[in-house]
Amino acid sequence: SYEGHIEVQCFSRKFKNSVTLNEKHAIFLSQPFYLSDPGYLSIKSYTSLLVKILRVLSSKYEKVFVKFHPNDYSELISQISVKAIPNIELIEGKYIFENILNRLSAKYIISFNSNALLTSFGSNRTTIWYYKFLSQQCKIDFEYLDNIISENNGIIIEDFEQI
């Protein structure tokens, strides 16, 4: 929609990467859907989904940086931390993603649905969107993003077989 184009133009900016982008590195951005109203997922379901996704990503990429959302519960972060998933590097602290992006080597930025994915369109990275397998309601709620994502060379993933 036209409104979506305005949003992307306002938030997208050109980033100067201070590191070389690595095709074997990815960034995963958490999105606390268990806090949504109505909640798309319980915290237990979200934690389970996150572990499953991170295990798949860790087998696909040599390094996966994980940036938790500032509103994520500390118990969720602790549960992910103790899983000791290989190739995962947790980004500690509540940084604004756009302020640390240029220091991360990852070619791919992955999340369910995040403003940080929209603002990353100008970073020469590939954005990968997972919102279609959260719930049927998410598919409906975020459908307006489909054209914006494809126009900016993003990738929409609909199930685990595509990861």
Side-chain angles (χ1 to χ4, degrees):
S1 74
Y2 184 69
E3 186 178 77
H5 288 284
I6 293 171
E7 182 178 322
V8 171
Q9 292 303 318
C10 289
F11 289 110
S12 185
R13 63 179 184 184
K14 295 293 179 195
F15 288 85
K16 288 190 177 178
N17 297 312
S18 55
V19 293
T20 302
L21 298 185
N22 189 325
E23 296 270 342
K24 296 177 181 176
H25 292 182
I27 303 164
F28 182 84
L29 304 172
S30 175
Q31 192 68 21
F33 282 103
Y34 52 89
L35 298 175
S36 306
D37 183 31
Y40 291 117
L41 293 169
S42 67
I43 189 165
K44 184 178 180 182
S45 296
Y46 182 76
T47 303
S48 173
L49 178 62
L50 210 52
V51 168
K52 187 175 176 183
I53 286 170
L54 293 176
R55 285 193 172 132
V56 172
L57 292 176
S58 78
S59 69
K60 182 174 181 172
Y61 298 100
E62 287 178 1
K63 185 182 281 191
V64 180
F65 300 97
V66 177
K67 162 89 172 64
F68 287 97
H69 190 278
N71 294 333
D72 269 318
Y73 290 161
S74 57
E75 70 226 39
L76 168 81
I77 298 168
S78 297
Q79 286 181 0
I80 299 300
S81 300
V82 300
K83 297 292 183 191
I85 301 167
N87 305 332
I88 298 292
E89 184 177 317
L90 300 181
I91 299 172
E92 306 279 337
K94 297 191 176 199
Y95 302 102
I96 295 171
F97 178 66
E98 292 80 0
N99 292 345
I100 62 169
L101 176 60
N102 69 338
R103 291 179 269 156
L104 299 173
S105 58
K107 172 70 176 165
Y108 302 96
I109 306 173
I110 304 163
S111 188
F112 297 105
N113 174 27
S114 171
N115 279 339
L117 287 175
L118 289 173
T119 59
S120 300
F121 283 154
S123 70
N124 294 327
R125 299 166 200 257
T126 302
T127 59
I128 302 175
W129 302 69
Y130 285 0
Y131 64 87
K132 294 229 176 185
F133 59 76
L134 279 175
S135 71
Q136 189 59 38
Q137 190 59 50
C138 279
K139 286 183 184 183
I140 295 164
D141 288 353
F142 303 128
E143 189 175 43
Y144 72 95
L145 288 171
D146 291 1
N147 288 336
I148 296 169
I149 294 167
S150 62
E151 288 169 6
N152 287 280
N153 300 316
I155 300 168
I156 301 168
I157 303 295
E158 300 205 32
D159 58 48
F160 277 98
E161 301 302 312
Q162 293 180 294
I163 294 180

